[in-house]
PDB file of all heavy atoms in Angstrom:
ATOM      1  N   VAL E  49      10.011  18.542  -2.151  1.00  0.00           N
ATOM      2  CA  VAL E  49       9.020  18.264  -3.221  1.00  0.00           C
ATOM      3  C   VAL E  49       7.764  19.029  -2.871  1.00  0.00           C
ATOM      4  O   VAL E  49       7.192  18.851  -1.855  1.00  0.00           O
ATOM      5  CB  VAL E  49       8.740  16.733  -3.302  1.00  0.00           C
ATOM      6  CG1 VAL E  49       7.563  16.453  -4.251  1.00  0.00           C
ATOM      7  CG2 VAL E  49       9.970  16.029  -3.790  1.00  0.00           C
ATOM      8  N   LYS E  50       7.380  19.911  -3.770  1.00  0.00           N
ATOM      9  CA  LYS E  50       6.236  20.841  -3.519  1.00  0.00           C
ATOM     10  C   LYS E  50       4.948  20.347  -4.228  1.00  0.00           C
ATOM     11  O   LYS E  50       3.892  20.907  -3.912  1.00  0.00           O
ATOM     12  CB  LYS E  50       6.599  22.250  -4.080  1.00  0.00           C
ATOM     13  CG  LYS E  50       7.764  22.879  -3.354  1.00  0.00           C
ATOM     14  CD  LYS E  50       7.324  23.522  -2.099  1.00  0.00           C
ATOM     15  CE  LYS E  50       8.354  24.480  -1.588  1.00  0.00           C
ATOM     16  NZ  LYS E  50       7.899  25.182  -0.384  1.00  0.00           N
ATOM     17  N   GLY E  51       5.092  19.378  -5.063  1.00  0.00           N
ATOM     18  CA  GLY E  51       3.870  18.867  -5.732  1.00  0.00           C
ATOM     19  C   GLY E  51       4.253  17.667  -6.561  1.00  0.00           C
ATOM     20  O   GLY E  51       5.410  17.473  -6.886  1.00  0.00           O
ATOM     21  N   LYS E  52       3.259  16.752  -6.754  1.00  0.00           N
ATOM     22  CA  LYS E  52       3.546  15.683  -7.668  1.00  0.00           C
ATOM     23  C   LYS E  52       2.306  15.364  -8.464  1.00  0.00           C
ATOM     24  O   LYS E  52       1.156  15.677  -8.020  1.00  0.00           O
ATOM     25  CB  LYS E  52       4.105  14.481  -6.954  1.00  0.00           C
ATOM     26  CG  LYS E  52       3.343  13.996  -5.728  1.00  0.00           C
ATOM     27  CD  LYS E  52       4.242  12.910  -5.028  1.00  0.00           C
ATOM     28  CE  LYS E  52       3.425  12.116  -4.036  1.00  0.00           C
ATOM     29  NZ  LYS E  52       4.287  11.157  -3.287  1.00  0.00           N
ATOM     30  N   ALA E  53       2.486  14.753  -9.641  1.00  0.00           N
ATOM     31  CA  ALA E  53       1.330  14.566 -10.525  1.00  0.00           C
ATOM     32  C   ALA E  53       1.540  13.259 -11.290  1.00  0.00           C
ATOM     33  O   ALA E  53       2.609  12.734 -11.419  1.00  0.00           O
ATOM     34  CB  ALA E  53       1.261  15.730 -11.515  1.00  0.00           C
ATOM     35  N   VAL E  54       0.399  12.714 -11.727  1.00  0.00           N
ATOM     36  CA  VAL E  54       0.414  11.559 -12.606  1.00  0.00           C
ATOM     37  C   VAL E  54      -0.395  11.906 -13.833  1.00  0.00           C
ATOM     38  O   VAL E  54      -1.473  12.468 -13.769  1.00  0.00           O
ATOM     39  CB  VAL E  54      -0.262  10.331 -11.900  1.00  0.00           C
ATOM     40  CG1 VAL E  54      -0.311   9.112 -12.844  1.00  0.00           C
ATOM     41  CG2 VAL E  54       0.407   9.984 -10.643  1.00  0.00           C
ATOM     42  N   VAL E  55       0.203  11.697 -15.016  1.00  0.00           N
ATOM     43  CA  VAL E  55      -0.416  11.998 -16.294  1.00  0.00           C
ATOM     44  C   VAL E  55      -0.365  10.812 -17.163  1.00  0.00           C
ATOM     45  O   VAL E  55       0.611  10.039 -17.095  1.00  0.00           O
ATOM     46  CB  VAL E  55       0.318  13.125 -17.057  1.00  0.00           C
ATOM     47  CG1 VAL E  55      -0.622  13.813 -17.995  1.00  0.00           C
ATOM     48  CG2 VAL E  55       0.917  14.103 -16.120  1.00  0.00           C
ATOM     49  N   GLY E  56      -1.356  10.586 -18.024  1.00  0.00           N
ATOM     50  CA  GLY E  56      -1.309   9.510 -18.980  1.00  0.00           C
ATOM     51  C   GLY E  56      -0.392   9.780 -20.108  1.00  0.00           C
ATOM     52  O   GLY E  56       0.314  10.764 -20.198  1.00  0.00           O
ATOM     53  N   ASP E  57      -0.383   8.815 -21.145  1.00  0.00           N
ATOM     54  CA  ASP E  57       0.458   9.004 -22.261  1.00  0.00           C
ATOM     55  C   ASP E  57      -0.235   9.994 -23.227  1.00  0.00           C
ATOM     56  O   ASP E  57      -0.776   9.608 -24.290  1.00  0.00           O
ATOM     57  CB  ASP E  57       0.658   7.688 -22.987  1.00  0.00           C
ATOM     58  CG  ASP E  57       1.154   6.631 -21.974  1.00  0.00           C
ATOM     59  OD1 ASP E  57       2.070   6.947 -21.215  1.00  0.00           O
ATOM     60  OD2 ASP E  57       0.648   5.491 -22.013  1.00  0.00           O
ATOM     61  N   ASP E  58      -0.273  11.262 -22.876  1.00  0.00           N
ATOM     62  CA  ASP E  58      -1.168  12.203 -23.457  1.00  0.00           C
ATOM     63  C   ASP E  58      -0.334  13.497 -23.599  1.00  0.00           C
ATOM     64  O   ASP E  58      -0.018  14.204 -22.670  1.00  0.00           O
ATOM     65  CB  ASP E  58      -2.345  12.369 -22.463  1.00  0.00           C
ATOM     66  CG  ASP E  58      -3.217  13.605 -22.696  1.00  0.00           C
ATOM     67  OD1 ASP E  58      -2.827  14.563 -23.305  1.00  0.00           O
ATOM     68  OD2 ASP E  58      -4.344  13.619 -22.113  1.00  0.00           O
ATOM     69  N   ARG E  59       0.044  13.790 -24.864  1.00  0.00           N
ATOM     70  CA  ARG E  59       1.015  14.899 -25.109  1.00  0.00           C
ATOM     71  C   ARG E  59       0.529  16.214 -24.578  1.00  0.00           C
ATOM     72  O   ARG E  59       1.251  16.958 -23.923  1.00  0.00           O
ATOM     73  CB  ARG E  59       1.278  15.046 -26.603  1.00  0.00           C
ATOM     74  CG  ARG E  59       2.168  13.990 -27.193  1.00  0.00           C
ATOM     75  CD  ARG E  59       2.069  13.915 -28.736  1.00  0.00           C
ATOM     76  NE  ARG E  59       2.381  12.608 -29.210  1.00  0.00           N
ATOM     77  CZ  ARG E  59       3.612  12.198 -29.531  1.00  0.00           C
ATOM     78  NH1 ARG E  59       4.590  13.122 -29.538  1.00  0.00           N
ATOM     79  NH2 ARG E  59       3.873  10.989 -29.929  1.00  0.00           N
ATOM     80  N   THR E  60      -0.744  16.529 -24.856  1.00  0.00           N
ATOM     81  CA  THR E  60      -1.229  17.873 -24.458  1.00  0.00           C
ATOM     82  C   THR E  60      -1.192  18.057 -22.933  1.00  0.00           C
ATOM     83  O   THR E  60      -0.687  19.065 -22.453  1.00  0.00           O
ATOM     84  CB  THR E  60      -2.705  18.033 -24.976  1.00  0.00           C
ATOM     85  OG1 THR E  60      -2.769  17.621 -26.308  1.00  0.00           O
ATOM     86  CG2 THR E  60      -3.156  19.455 -24.883  1.00  0.00           C
ATOM     87  N   ARG E  61      -1.738  17.106 -22.261  1.00  0.00           N
ATOM     88  CA  ARG E  61      -1.783  17.210 -20.769  1.00  0.00           C
ATOM     89  C   ARG E  61      -0.386  17.181 -20.185  1.00  0.00           C
ATOM     90  O   ARG E  61      -0.060  17.922 -19.276  1.00  0.00           O
ATOM     91  CB  ARG E  61      -2.641  16.153 -20.138  1.00  0.00           C
ATOM     92  CG  ARG E  61      -4.083  16.591 -19.984  1.00  0.00           C
ATOM     93  CD  ARG E  61      -4.801  15.643 -19.053  1.00  0.00           C
ATOM     94  NE  ARG E  61      -6.091  16.223 -18.653  1.00  0.00           N
ATOM     95  CZ  ARG E  61      -7.164  16.288 -19.382  1.00  0.00           C
ATOM     96  NH1 ARG E  61      -7.092  15.878 -20.640  1.00  0.00           N
ATOM     97  NH2 ARG E  61      -8.278  16.805 -18.942  1.00  0.00           N
ATOM     98  N   LEU E  62       0.478  16.276 -20.701  1.00  0.00           N
ATOM     99  CA  LEU E  62       1.804  16.172 -20.130  1.00  0.00           C
ATOM    100  C   LEU E  62       2.547  17.523 -20.330  1.00  0.00           C
ATOM    101  O   LEU E  62       3.257  18.004 -19.423  1.00  0.00           O
ATOM    102  CB  LEU E  62       2.601  15.026 -20.755  1.00  0.00           C
ATOM    103  CG  LEU E  62       4.086  14.898 -20.378  1.00  0.00           C
ATOM    104  CD1 LEU E  62       4.203  14.770 -18.824  1.00  0.00           C
ATOM    105  CD2 LEU E  62       4.704  13.703 -21.025  1.00  0.00           C
ATOM    106  N   ARG E  63       2.395  18.084 -21.528  1.00  0.00           N
ATOM    107  CA  ARG E  63       3.055  19.361 -21.803  1.00  0.00           C
ATOM    108  C   ARG E  63       2.570  20.461 -20.795  1.00  0.00           C
ATOM    109  O   ARG E  63       3.383  21.199 -20.241  1.00  0.00           O
ATOM    110  CB  ARG E  63       2.682  19.786 -23.246  1.00  0.00           C
ATOM    111  CG  ARG E  63       3.461  21.022 -23.729  1.00  0.00           C
ATOM    112  CD  ARG E  63       2.878  21.505 -25.061  1.00  0.00           C
ATOM    113  NE  ARG E  63       3.232  22.880 -25.241  1.00  0.00           N
ATOM    114  CZ  ARG E  63       4.327  23.311 -25.854  1.00  0.00           C
ATOM    115  NH1 ARG E  63       5.172  22.430 -26.441  1.00  0.00           N
ATOM    116  NH2 ARG E  63       4.660  24.582 -25.942  1.00  0.00           N
ATOM    117  N   ALA E  64       1.253  20.503 -20.532  1.00  0.00           N
ATOM    118  CA  ALA E  64       0.737  21.478 -19.629  1.00  0.00           C
ATOM    119  C   ALA E  64       1.280  21.260 -18.168  1.00  0.00           C
ATOM    120  O   ALA E  64       1.711  22.175 -17.525  1.00  0.00           O
ATOM    121  CB  ALA E  64      -0.795  21.412 -19.615  1.00  0.00           C
ATOM    122  N   PHE E  65       1.238  19.966 -17.719  1.00  0.00           N
ATOM    123  CA  PHE E  65       1.763  19.704 -16.397  1.00  0.00           C
ATOM    124  C   PHE E  65       3.246  20.091 -16.313  1.00  0.00           C
ATOM    125  O   PHE E  65       3.725  20.642 -15.311  1.00  0.00           O
ATOM    126  CB  PHE E  65       1.613  18.189 -16.098  1.00  0.00           C
ATOM    127  CG  PHE E  65       0.293  17.810 -15.453  1.00  0.00           C
ATOM    128  CD1 PHE E  65      -0.772  17.516 -16.290  1.00  0.00           C
ATOM    129  CD2 PHE E  65       0.116  17.726 -14.110  1.00  0.00           C
ATOM    130  CE1 PHE E  65      -2.044  17.159 -15.735  1.00  0.00           C
ATOM    131  CE2 PHE E  65      -1.111  17.369 -13.553  1.00  0.00           C
ATOM    132  CZ  PHE E  65      -2.174  17.090 -14.366  1.00  0.00           C
ATOM    133  N   PHE E  66       4.032  19.714 -17.340  1.00  0.00           N
ATOM    134  CA  PHE E  66       5.441  19.918 -17.318  1.00  0.00           C
ATOM    135  C   PHE E  66       5.777  21.436 -17.303  1.00  0.00           C
ATOM    136  O   PHE E  66       6.614  21.904 -16.504  1.00  0.00           O
ATOM    137  CB  PHE E  66       6.154  19.239 -18.502  1.00  0.00           C
ATOM    138  CG  PHE E  66       7.597  19.601 -18.617  1.00  0.00           C
ATOM    139  CD1 PHE E  66       8.481  19.211 -17.654  1.00  0.00           C
ATOM    140  CD2 PHE E  66       8.095  20.253 -19.699  1.00  0.00           C
ATOM    141  CE1 PHE E  66       9.836  19.480 -17.730  1.00  0.00           C
ATOM    142  CE2 PHE E  66       9.417  20.588 -19.833  1.00  0.00           C
ATOM    143  CZ  PHE E  66      10.303  20.229 -18.835  1.00  0.00           C
ATOM    144  N   ILE E  67       5.198  22.176 -18.189  1.00  0.00           N
ATOM    145  CA  ILE E  67       5.467  23.650 -18.282  1.00  0.00           C
ATOM    146  C   ILE E  67       5.116  24.290 -16.975  1.00  0.00           C
ATOM    147  O   ILE E  67       5.884  25.101 -16.397  1.00  0.00           O
ATOM    148  CB  ILE E  67       4.742  24.303 -19.451  1.00  0.00           C
ATOM    149  CG1 ILE E  67       5.383  23.789 -20.753  1.00  0.00           C
ATOM    150  CG2 ILE E  67       4.744  25.801 -19.332  1.00  0.00           C
ATOM    151  CD1 ILE E  67       4.715  24.306 -21.994  1.00  0.00           C
ATOM    152  N   ALA E  68       3.974  23.979 -16.354  1.00  0.00           N
ATOM    153  CA  ALA E  68       3.581  24.577 -15.087  1.00  0.00           C
ATOM    154  C   ALA E  68       4.599  24.228 -13.947  1.00  0.00           C
ATOM    155  O   ALA E  68       4.945  25.044 -13.147  1.00  0.00           O
ATOM    156  CB  ALA E  68       2.164  24.172 -14.731  1.00  0.00           C
ATOM    157  N   ALA E  69       5.006  22.942 -13.933  1.00  0.00           N
ATOM    158  CA  ALA E  69       5.914  22.512 -12.902  1.00  0.00           C
ATOM    159  C   ALA E  69       7.209  23.260 -12.998  1.00  0.00           C
ATOM    160  O   ALA E  69       7.824  23.670 -11.993  1.00  0.00           O
ATOM    161  CB  ALA E  69       6.098  21.023 -12.937  1.00  0.00           C
ATOM    162  N   LEU E  70       7.748  23.384 -14.230  1.00  0.00           N
ATOM    163  CA  LEU E  70       9.033  24.047 -14.452  1.00  0.00           C
ATOM    164  C   LEU E  70       8.981  25.510 -14.098  1.00  0.00           C
ATOM    165  O   LEU E  70       9.974  26.094 -13.675  1.00  0.00           O
ATOM    166  CB  LEU E  70       9.467  23.838 -15.897  1.00  0.00           C
ATOM    167  CG  LEU E  70      10.944  24.118 -16.152  1.00  0.00           C
ATOM    168  CD1 LEU E  70      11.853  23.150 -15.417  1.00  0.00           C
ATOM    169  CD2 LEU E  70      11.240  24.040 -17.680  1.00  0.00           C
ATOM    170  N   GLU E  71       7.844  26.105 -14.335  1.00  0.00           N
ATOM    171  CA  GLU E  71       7.593  27.511 -13.981  1.00  0.00           C
ATOM    172  C   GLU E  71       7.734  27.684 -12.483  1.00  0.00           C
ATOM    173  O   GLU E  71       8.367  28.690 -12.029  1.00  0.00           O
ATOM    174  CB  GLU E  71       6.171  27.859 -14.446  1.00  0.00           C
ATOM    175  CG  GLU E  71       5.889  29.336 -14.564  1.00  0.00           C
ATOM    176  CD  GLU E  71       6.867  29.989 -15.563  1.00  0.00           C
ATOM    177  OE1 GLU E  71       7.031  29.516 -16.704  1.00  0.00           O
ATOM    178  OE2 GLU E  71       7.498  31.000 -15.117  1.00  0.00           O
ATOM    179  N   ARG E  72       7.167  26.771 -11.694  1.00  0.00           N
ATOM    180  CA  ARG E  72       7.039  26.961 -10.252  1.00  0.00           C
ATOM    181  C   ARG E  72       8.281  26.465  -9.487  1.00  0.00           C
ATOM    182  O   ARG E  72       8.501  26.837  -8.359  1.00  0.00           O
ATOM    183  CB  ARG E  72       5.879  26.113  -9.728  1.00  0.00           C
ATOM    184  CG  ARG E  72       4.544  26.642 -10.039  1.00  0.00           C
ATOM    185  CD  ARG E  72       3.430  25.820  -9.414  1.00  0.00           C
ATOM    186  NE  ARG E  72       3.467  24.412  -9.925  1.00  0.00           N
ATOM    187  CZ  ARG E  72       2.474  23.952 -10.669  1.00  0.00           C
ATOM    188  NH1 ARG E  72       1.427  24.625 -11.010  1.00  0.00           N
ATOM    189  NH2 ARG E  72       2.560  22.700 -11.095  1.00  0.00           N
TER     190      ARG E  72
END
Side-chain angles (χ1 to χ4, degrees):
Chain E
V49 172
K50 296 278 197 177
K52 49 192 197 182
V54 180
V55 203
D57 308 316
D58 164 341
R59 285 164 206 268
T60 313
R61 269 197 167 73
L62 176 56
R63 188 190 159 91
F65 274 87
F66 173 64
I67 288 176
L70 195 64
E71 197 59 51
R72 290 183 296 249

